[in-house]
Amino acid sequence: MNDIHRRLRAALRVELPAAYDLRRELHAEPYVSGREEPTLKRVLDALPQGTVSERVAETGALLRIGGDGPAVGVRGELDALPIMEETGVPWAARNGVMHACGHDVHLAALVALARAVDRVDDVPAPMVAVLQPREETYPSGALDIVESGALGRHRVAAMVAAHVQPVLAAGQTACTPGAVNASADEFTLIVRGQGGHAAYPQLSRDPVLALAQIIVAAQQLVSRDADPMTPTVVTFGTVSAGTAPNATPAEAVARGTLRTMSEAWRDQLHDRFVVIADGVARAHGCEAEVRIVRGEPVLVNDTRLAEETARLLSGATRHSAATLRSCGADDFAYFTSLVPSLMLFVGTDTSSGLHSPGFLPGDETVAAVAESLLAAYLAAAHLIGGG
């Protein structure tokens, strides 16, 4: 471990107790996507004073810390989910909204790192705290920030972030090179037939039956159309039709997601989904309409950043490197298409899964995320020529 890493780790340890308190404050008062202004204000109050700032994406902000030159961007998400918390802790949220995806942990760790960078002289590169809204919903806050040009104005030359991940054991951080998260696109499928009395099926065209067959047939996209070496997931999340048990409805609707780890296959997946929906519907005397909303692209980690961060983590007693890829999605992927970027996954001490009403990592997870972000920041500073 070199001198600057040692000094920044020491400064980070000083900041951690306040970060634990901040995390609990943020957790107790969460806000959903697009309404994060109170969370933003609290985080801005906790960050070093006198830093250069810019508001972005309506309820987000960028803050530059540490002088001039190419900078390392560190992303933290501001929004929470519309989930009723069931953790039972005194600082649980009580407004029907919950930080069930760890964004409170990420923000507290980012603040601790920013304050440590501000505290230490001769840091290898400036840091830009990217306080991003709307990670959980569309339109994407990350995409808005990219399209605003703000990262260029702040000379952000690399981006890093970390996400808590309960599938990893506490003490592990995954800094995996290449594609680590899938693209995720939402679809709405409308099947239109001819309604009628349930006793006279020959006089109607049943969109429910057609939709059921489409749901089954669409799984062939995974088993027969996709390359077996390319992870692909087709999910039907909602299905609705009709209002009476003894009537054939005129319309059936399904919504879901199409995910893949390959941008090259992504558009083909969309096209094949439309072809299957249309063909199966016509075979049942119905018509299908497919609407696809493009979401996050594939999240691709920079290989050099991943390898250097893993090397730095291997020298820290708190963490061991792990490998993790999943078909989850994160709009951090938009940053990866702009500058060399790295998404880390940090193991937690909770058995509850992400987006669960019982999800509650302990204080040590804040420390683990902060130390992981520190290693990534130093690796990125080295990559862009700052150290």
Side-chain angles (χ1 to χ4, degrees):
M1 186 185 300
N2 59 27
D3 179 63
I4 188 62
H5 193 178
R6 187 177 296 104
R7 287 190 288 134
L8 281 168
R9 285 193 77 202
L12 193 61
R13 285 193 291 271
V14 173
E15 298 294 343
L16 284 176
Y20 301 154
D21 292 339
L22 175 62
R23 180 275 176 106
R24 296 188 181 204
E25 288 184 46
L26 297 175
H27 188 92
E29 193 176 354
Y31 295 88
V32 295
S33 302
R35 300 181 182 178
E36 307 97 335
E37 191 76 34
T39 299
L40 175 65
K41 183 179 184 304
R42 182 64 188 91
V43 173
L44 291 176
D45 288 345
L47 284 164
Q49 299 301 307
T51 54
V52 179
S53 65
E54 177 180 353
R55 292 296 299 269
V56 292
E58 298 179 1
T59 52
L62 269 63
L63 285 91
R64 184 182 178 91
I65 303 160
D68 299 323
V72 177
V74 183
R75 194 278 298 265
E77 316 97 301
L78 295 163
D79 54 341
L81 290 154
I83 293 174
M84 184 66 71
E85 183 165 350
E86 298 177 1
T87 63
V89 296
W91 39 281
R94 307 186 190 282
N95 61 349
V97 180
M98 180 187 175
H99 276 298
C101 204
H103 294 182
D104 54 332
V105 174
H106 306 164
L107 289 168
L110 183 154
V111 169
L113 175 61
R115 293 182 66 86
V117 170
D118 186 63
R119 177 189 288 267
V120 172
D121 294 330
D122 303 322
V123 293
M127 170 183 162
V128 173
V130 179
L131 306 178
Q132 183 209 308
R134 287 182 277 111
E135 191 277 326
E136 296 288 0
T137 62
Y138 300 141
S140 160
L143 179 58
D144 282 354
I145 292 172
V146 167
E147 291 182 340
S148 74
L151 297 179
R153 289 192 293 275
H154 287 269
R155 300 185 67 186
V156 173
M159 283 287 298
V160 301
H163 202 298
V164 293
Q165 180 49 266
V167 303
L168 291 175
Q172 289 189 323
T173 294
C175 37
T176 308
V180 295
N181 272 165
S183 61
D185 305 309
E186 290 189 359
F187 67 81
T188 299
L189 168 61
I190 305 170
V191 181
R192 298 185 179 93
Q194 181 177 331
H197 196 295
Y200 306 100
Q202 75 277 16
L203 302 179
S204 62
R205 292 292 179 265
D206 189 349
V208 175
L209 179 60
L211 176 57
Q213 295 298 323
I214 293 171
I215 292 172
V216 174
Q219 301 309 314
Q220 304 306 313
L221 290 166
V222 178
S223 64
R224 288 297 179 269
D225 285 67
D227 186 323
M229 305 307 293
T230 301
T232 303
V233 181
V234 177
T235 300
F236 287 80
T238 71
V239 177
S240 60
T243 58
N246 59 350
T248 297
E251 183 176 285
V253 180
R255 298 181 64 239
T257 57
L258 304 171
R259 299 171 184 262
T260 179
M261 298 285 271
S262 166
E263 285 292 333
W265 160 238
R266 185 182 184 185
D267 287 335
Q268 297 176 57
L269 174 63
H270 295 180
D271 292 344
R272 287 292 298 146
F273 183 79
V274 172
V275 167
I276 286 175
D278 180 69
V280 174
R282 288 183 181 278
H284 288 77
C286 299
E287 295 181 353
E289 177 186 353
V290 179
R291 304 168 187 165
I292 297 177
V293 177
R294 293 180 72 88
E296 299 89 341
V298 178
L299 198 165
V300 181
N301 277 341
D302 182 85
T303 298
R304 293 170 298 171
L305 258 179
E307 291 175 348
E308 177 65 7
T309 302
R311 185 187 69 78
L312 291 171
L313 285 175
S314 68
T317 58
R318 189 177 186 94
H319 294 289
S320 60
T323 297
L324 180 71
R325 306 181 196 275
S326 85
C327 281
D330 193 300
D331 65 0
F332 185 80
Y334 289 114
F335 299 125
T336 71
S337 63
L338 189 67
V339 293
S341 303
L342 177 66
M343 169 63 80
L344 301 167
F345 299 107
V346 181
T348 69
D349 56 353
T350 176
S351 59
S352 297
L354 297 171
H355 294 204
S356 162
F359 184 72
L360 192 72
D363 287 345
E364 56 271 28
T365 307
V366 177
V369 171
E371 291 197 11
S372 297
L373 286 174
L374 170 58
Y377 159 76
L378 289 171
H382 178 77
L383 178 68
I384 64 179

